Amino acid sequence: MRKKEWDVVDSSSMARGVPSQWKEALSAWRDALGAEKVQVDGEGIEAAQVATFPTTQQIWAVLFPSSREEVQACMQIASRFQIPIYPTSCGKNWGLGSRVPTEDAVLMDLSRMDRILDFDEDMAYVTVEPGVTFQQVFTFLKEQGSSLMLSVIGGSPYASVIGNCAERGDGVGPYGERPDHLCDMEVVLPDGEVLYTGFSRYATGGALAPLSRWAPGPGLSELFFQSSLGVITRLTIWLMPKPAYLQVVWATFRDAEQLAQSASVFRKLTLQGTIPRNTLALWNLYKVLARKQQYPWDTHADGKPLLMSDFAPLEPWYACAALYHPSREHARVEKRYLLDHLEHHVHDLMFFDQDGHAELSSDNLFLGAPTQENIFSTYWRKSSGPPEQMDPDRDRCGVLWMCHVIPFHTQAMSQFVQMTEQIVLEHGLEPNLGIACMSPRAARVFVALMYDREQDGADERAIRCHDAVFAALCDAGFLPYRLGLPSMLSMPPATDASSRFLAKVKELLDPARSLAPGRYEMP
C-alpha cells in the first residue's frame, strides 16, 4: 500500500521528524525540477534506506536532478529552508553505507547525470558526470577503439566513477590512486554557487583544465574528497595506455609469518618500481574462496567460523601483482629478476603472460574491464545462491567493510593479521582480509565481515565485531583512510587545529548545515 504524501498529511510528516518548513521546500523542489523528479513515497524511498547492515536514518524524499543547474537549485532550496540534503551518485557503496545518509535527510540522487562530456585519446583523459559508471566508461572506450584504460574498482561495474573519487577510493593498477590522476572538478557549494578546482575558473583556462591539476594558489581539490563542503558535478580523470604486454605474478605463502617476512622484499621491489605502485595485492584464503563459493552449510550446519586448517592443503595467503610491459622481451627480463628476488621468500611462485594465457590479452580487470566477481563474496553466508542480478542491499546480505592503513613492514603486517583474525573469529565470523600495496611505504588493509542479515541476532553480532576490530586497529595506530556509516563518528580526536579549521570552513560555506551533516566531520 502506498504511503500518503507528507505534504498532504502534515501529522504524518511531523511524526517522522520532517522539518516544519517541509511543505515549502517540497513545493520549491517540485517547481525547480518538475514533480516527476521528486519522490516522496513508495518502494524507492524504502529501498534507499537499506544498507548491508542495520541503519535507522530516514529519507524524507529523493530528488533526481539531471543537470548542474538543477543541483544548484536543489542546494539553494535546502539551504534556504535549512533541510539536510545528502548527495549520492549510483548508490553502490556496499559495506560502507550504500545510499543511506549520515542523518535523517533528503537524498539527492545524481544517477541521471550520466554524460561523458569530453574525451581525448592523445591527451588520455575523459570528463564525466556523477552518474557515469565504470562499465559505461569501459564500453565507451571500447566503442572508440581506444588504446586507453580507466583503472577500475573491485566493486560493482555500475558504481559511479565520481562517487569512487569523492570517497578517495582506489582502483586497480598504477592509476588507482584516484586523487593523483584527476583534475578540474566542478563543485556546487551548499549555497548553490559553482567552484572549479583547476584552470576552468579562468576564461582562457579551458585548454589547460583537463591536463594540469594545479591552478595558482592553495589547492582546493582535497577539500571535496570525503567531504560535506560541496557536491562534485563534473571532473576529468586521466586514462592509462594499455600495456603492449601484460604479465601477472602469483605467489602463495605457507603461513601468515612467511607473508609478513616477505614485506621487506616486496617493499624494495615496489620502491624501485620493478613492481609498479598499486599493482600488488595480498589476500587471505577466505577472501579468495568467497569470490568463487559460499559457506558450506551442507557440511557445517552449525554456522561456526571456518578455520584455515579446514581447507588444507590450500595455502592461507596469496599475492598477485600485475606487471605492465612495453614488450615481450622486457617481460622476460623482469620475470628472471623477480624470480631471483622472490623465490626464497614465498612458498610457490607462478607467472602468467599473454602468450600462454589468452585471457590476459582480452578484457580483464587489469586492463580496465570491470567485473562482478567480488560482489559474489557478499553472499558468502547466505543459504541460497545469489541471483543473476546481484543486489546485496535488496537481498539482505550482511557486509561491513573497514579500510585502514598500516606501515608497509613486517612487524605491522604481522600485528594486523594476528589481531584481526583473532577478534573476528572470536565473534563467530571468518576474517576476510586484503592488503593493497598502494605505495612502498604504507599499505591499505581491508577487513570484510560477511554474514546473513536474515539470521536472528546476526546484525548485532556483526556490529559488535566491527566495533571491536575498529577500536583495536585504531589503538594500534592503524588508522582508517576511509569511513563507513558505523565508524563515521568513531575517529579518535585530533590533537592539532585541523578539526577546528574544518569546522570553520564548514560554518563559512554551509552555515545552515544543510549539506550532508555528520559526513566526515572530525571530532
Side-chain angles (χ1 to χ4, degrees), residues 80-209:
R80 185 195 324 160
F81 293 104
Q82 298 186 344
I83 292 180
I85 187 168
Y86 193 87
T88 184
S89 300
C90 294
K92 302 295 190 294
N93 197 25
W94 293 320
L96 294 165
S98 302
R99 289 174 287 176
V100 179
T102 43
E103 299 179 8
D104 294 356
V106 168
L107 197 69
M108 183 166 60
D109 185 317
L110 305 177
S111 61
R112 296 188 185 185
M113 297 175 64
D114 59 357
R115 295 179 299 162
I116 294 175
L117 300 170
D118 193 14
F119 166 67
D120 193 304
E121 177 78 13
D122 293 331
M123 291 299 187
Y125 69 78
V126 63
T127 303
V128 299
E129 291 184 320
V132 173
T133 68
F134 287 95
Q135 183 65 50
Q136 186 177 344
V137 174
F138 172 74
T139 301
F140 173 83
L141 293 175
K142 197 168 185 179
E143 290 173 347
Q144 297 294 315
S146 176
S147 62
L148 305 170
M149 55 178 273
L150 171 66
S151 169
V152 296
I153 59 175
S156 172
Y158 304 102
S160 162
V161 175
I162 285 185
N164 182 251
C165 294
E167 276 291 323
R168 209 182 291 125
D170 42 64
V172 176
Y175 279 31
E177 183 69 290
R178 296 293 182 212
D180 291 347
H181 299 93
L182 59 84
C183 65
D184 201 49
M185 297 191 295
E186 176 186 82
V187 180
V188 175
L189 299 176
D191 63 1
E193 287 198 69
V194 176
L195 173 151
Y196 293 95
T197 62
F199 283 100
S200 279
R201 71 183 68 156
Y202 301 107
T204 59
L208 288 175

Side-chain angles (χ1 to χ4, degrees), residues 11-283:
S11 60
S12 172
S13 67
M14 295 309 294
R16 289 174 60 91
V18 177
S20 58
Q21 309 95 319
W22 177 250
K23 285 184 180 181
E24 294 88 343
L26 190 61
S27 177
W29 278 318
R30 284 173 169 162
D31 288 344
L33 304 180
E36 73 281 359
K37 294 182 180 179
V38 181
Q39 182 181 22
V40 295
D41 61 2
E43 294 181 359
I45 294 284
E46 297 298 325
Q49 295 177 153
V50 175
T52 57
F53 47 79
T55 60
T56 58
Q57 293 90 328
Q58 294 182 335
I59 294 172
W60 301 323
V62 182
L63 311 178
F64 294 93
S66 56
S67 68
R68 186 206 70 194
E69 291 76 15
E70 289 185 350
V71 172
Q72 290 178 266
C74 289
M75 295 308 305
Q76 289 166 347
I77 294 165
S79 181
R80 185 195 324 160
F81 293 104
Q82 298 186 344
I83 292 180
I85 187 168
Y86 193 87
T88 184
S89 300
C90 294
K92 302 295 190 294
N93 197 25
W94 293 320
L96 294 165
S98 302
R99 289 174 287 176
V100 179
T102 43
E103 299 179 8
D104 294 356
V106 168
L107 197 69
M108 183 166 60
D109 185 317
L110 305 177
S111 61
R112 296 188 185 185
M113 297 175 64
D114 59 357
R115 295 179 299 162
I116 294 175
L117 300 170
D118 193 14
F119 166 67
D120 193 304
E121 177 78 13
D122 293 331
M123 291 299 187
Y125 69 78
V126 63
T127 303
V128 299
E129 291 184 320
V132 173
T133 68
F134 287 95
Q135 183 65 50
Q136 186 177 344
V137 174
F138 172 74
T139 301
F140 173 83
L141 293 175
K142 197 168 185 179
E143 290 173 347
Q144 297 294 315
S146 176
S147 62
L148 305 170
M149 55 178 273
L150 171 66
S151 169
V152 296
I153 59 175
S156 172
Y158 304 102
S160 162
V161 175
I162 285 185
N164 182 251
C165 294
E167 276 291 323
R168 209 182 291 125
D170 42 64
V172 176
Y175 279 31
E177 183 69 290
R178 296 293 182 212
D180 291 347
H181 299 93
L182 59 84
C183 65
D184 201 49
M185 297 191 295
E186 176 186 82
V187 180
V188 175
L189 299 176
D191 63 1
E193 287 198 69
V194 176
L195 173 151
Y196 293 95
T197 62
F199 283 100
S200 279
R201 71 183 68 156
Y202 301 107
T204 59
L208 288 175
L211 310 179
S212 179
R213 293 184 60 200
W214 305 114
L220 300 177
S221 300
E222 284 73 11
L223 287 172
F224 303 104
F225 299 130
Q226 297 184 352
S227 164
S228 63
L229 300 176
V231 181
I232 303 170
T233 52
R234 189 192 79 190
L235 62 73
T236 294
I237 189 163
W238 294 331
L239 305 173
M240 173 182 166
K242 291 182 180 178
Y245 196 84
L246 176 65
Q247 183 171 219
V248 175
V249 58
W250 180 264
T252 66
F253 304 89
R254 56 177 177 269
D255 52 38
E257 181 180 355
Q258 187 181 39
L259 168 77
Q261 291 297 326
S262 72
S264 60
V265 66
F266 278 123
R267 184 175 65 251
K268 176 183 177 182
L269 292 168
T270 305
L271 187 62
Q272 68 190 23
T274 305
I275 295 179
R277 60 177 297 175
N278 195 41
T279 62
L280 173 65
L282 310 169
W283 287 9

Side-chain angles (χ1 to χ4, degrees), residues 386-426:
E388 183 175 348
Q389 298 297 324
M390 293 181 283
D391 185 334
D393 290 334
R394 178 200 63 205
D395 298 332
R396 292 185 61 76
C397 299
V399 187
L400 281 158
W401 273 86
M402 284 167 276
C403 309
H404 291 244
V405 184
I406 66 171
F408 192 177
H409 60 57
T410 294
Q411 181 181 352
M413 195 174 293
S414 179
Q415 185 180 1
F416 161 71
V417 172
Q418 183 177 359
M419 76 161 58
T420 307
E421 286 186 344
Q422 179 179 343
I423 295 171
V424 176
L425 288 169
E426 286 174 352

Side-chain angles (χ1 to χ4, degrees), residues 3-15 22-23:
K3 294 183 179 179
K4 295 179 180 179
E5 290 191 359
W6 296 337
D7 63 329
V8 175
V9 183
D10 188 62
S11 60
S12 172
S13 67
M14 295 309 294
W22 177 250
K23 285 184 180 181

